[in-house]
Amino acid sequence: MDSFVVKRKRRIGEQSTEFNSEHVTKKSKDDSTETDQGAVHSILWKEIRRENLCCDYTVFYSKHQADELLAECEKKLIYNEGQMARVHLYGKWMEIARKQVAFGDDCLSYRFSGKTVLARPWIPLVQKIKDDITKATGYTFNFVLVNRYKDGHDHIGEHKDDEKDLVFGHPIASLSLGQARDFVFKHQDSRGKKATRDIPTVKLELQHGSLLMMKHPTNSFWYHSLPARKKLINVRINFTFRQMVVKKTC
Ligand SMILES: O=C(O)CCC(=O)C(=O)O
Ligand SMILES: [Fe+2]
């Protein structure tokens, strides 16, 4: 496969994030985003392609913008507690290994690990991030799941975001703030003892202020996870903006 990193216009304030250039292919379309001052910058997307994996990655916010957003998130976000922070696994209730909260349009809820997460009404901070992503990508979102990883012990296990309440084919936009963490994709045919093929895993390091667009059909074929990295001590907050099927009644 022809593989190379696209070196086009770099955004003002953008830090360099070279990840393995293998399988990173050229993106033809130039997207743009606005700064707080209204200036338009072009975005340098890196395309990550494998069999049925289609993701675009960029450092979306400058370090300064991302620092401010992280500080505001730490002040303003209140996470689910009690039953809403537990999963039922192997006959036992367990605390999830991170904190979560969801925001969304009226009446939206989301099933996660067998439980229903109610969306809270949008708050300006989260709405602003959503609007920035929509402006830059052209995709709209009506729901976001926020995960807070207090340090490298917190993690999320392998899963696919392929629930039927999600609009089929719509990308998921994953915005990360704080501690850079490994993010791992595994093809469904290459998992565990029943693996039928030997497809290499895809590992990215998601940087502070980065945006990963997970596009169709990635979530139909590939599992993803954020493994524990116990030596890391800093907080990371991740937003996965999604488009959910809107049901008529609340
Ligand atoms: O924290 C992340 O980067 C991933 C979160 C995730 O996969 C999810 O919320 O479904
Ligand atoms: Fe996910």
Side-chain angles (χ1 to χ4, degrees):
M1 183 203 258
D2 280 344
S3 305
F4 50 92
V5 179
V6 199
K7 287 285 182 196
R8 288 186 289 106
K9 274 179 279 180
R10 181 173 291 257
R11 276 192 314 128
I12 294 168
E14 184 176 271
Q15 61 216 52
S16 167
T17 52
E18 298 296 341
F19 56 77
N20 192 347
S21 63
E22 203 195 347
H23 301 292
V24 176
T25 53
K26 189 169 187 266
K27 184 170 169 67
S28 52
K29 186 171 159 281
D30 209 3
D31 290 323
S32 62
T33 189
E34 282 180 26
T35 63
D36 293 343
Q37 293 75 37
V40 176
H41 300 284
S42 36
I43 297 178
L44 180 74
W45 289 101
K46 292 175 180 175
E47 295 192 338
I48 305 145
R49 300 290 183 266
R50 296 289 194 285
E51 177 188 312
N52 290 315
L53 182 144
C54 179
C55 291
D56 295 343
Y57 176 86
T58 192
V59 177
F60 188 65
Y61 289 119
S62 67
K63 178 169 181 334
H64 176 70
Q65 290 169 319
D67 285 350
E68 290 201 334
L69 284 171
L70 179 61
E72 217 183 328
C73 286
E74 287 292 73
K75 253 197 266 165
K76 302 219 168 113
L77 296 184
I78 299 163
Y79 296 89
N80 297 333
E81 296 286 354
Q83 270 310 96
M84 294 300 290
R86 294 191 187 113
V87 278
H88 201 233
L89 270 185
Y90 313 113
K92 277 200 293 195
W93 283 102
M94 293 157 88
E95 292 288 319
I96 56 168
R98 61 197 174 279
K99 294 279 183 205
Q100 283 190 327
V101 62
F103 298 92
D105 292 358
D106 284 351
C107 306
L108 288 181
S109 63
Y110 182 66
R111 277 194 294 280
F112 179 80
S113 289
K115 63 162 35 87
T116 301
V117 182
L118 277 178
R120 299 185 190 183
W122 294 105
I123 59 170
L125 165 64
V126 181
Q127 175 90 42
K128 179 214 161 356
I129 299 174
K130 175 167 86 81
D131 291 348
D132 288 347
I133 296 172
T134 294
K135 268 185 216 151
T137 64
Y139 291 107
T140 57
F141 303 95
N142 60 10
F143 183 91
V144 66
L145 182 65
V146 187
N147 282 293
R148 180 183 186 274
Y149 306 84
K150 67 176 181 328
D151 57 25
H153 289 260
D154 281 1
H155 59 277
I156 190 165
E158 284 178 15
H159 66 282
K160 285 184 197 160
D161 292 320
D162 62 351
E163 294 82 358
K164 43 182 193 320
D165 341 19
L166 295 172
V167 171
F168 185 74
H170 200 89
I172 292 178
S174 169
L175 190 282
S176 299
L177 298 171
Q179 177 70 62
R181 292 282 296 260
D182 289 339
F183 187 76
V184 179
F185 284 105
K186 261 193 199 157
H187 192 282
Q188 60 185 16
D189 294 346
S190 292
R191 291 175 72 236
K193 290 188 186 131
K194 289 189 182 155
T196 53
R197 301 171 68 196
D198 188 17
I199 302 174
T201 56
V202 178
K203 190 160 81 171
L204 318 174
E205 190 184 57
L206 301 182
Q207 303 290 325
H208 184 37
S210 70
L211 176 63
L212 176 71
M213 297 297 292
M214 285 188 271
K215 294 181 168 176
H216 185 69
T218 309
N219 268 300
S220 300
F221 292 88
W222 293 76
Y223 286 73
H224 57 266
S225 64
L226 189 97
R229 293 287 182 258
K230 293 186 179 162
K231 289 188 181 143
L232 300 178
I233 55 168
N234 292 320
V235 169
R236 170 176 184 269
I237 299 179
N238 173 264
F239 299 78
T240 43
F241 291 91
R242 302 147 191 250
Q243 189 68 25
M244 297 191 62
V245 176
V246 178
K247 294 175 191 136
K248 285 193 188 94
T249 50
C250 286

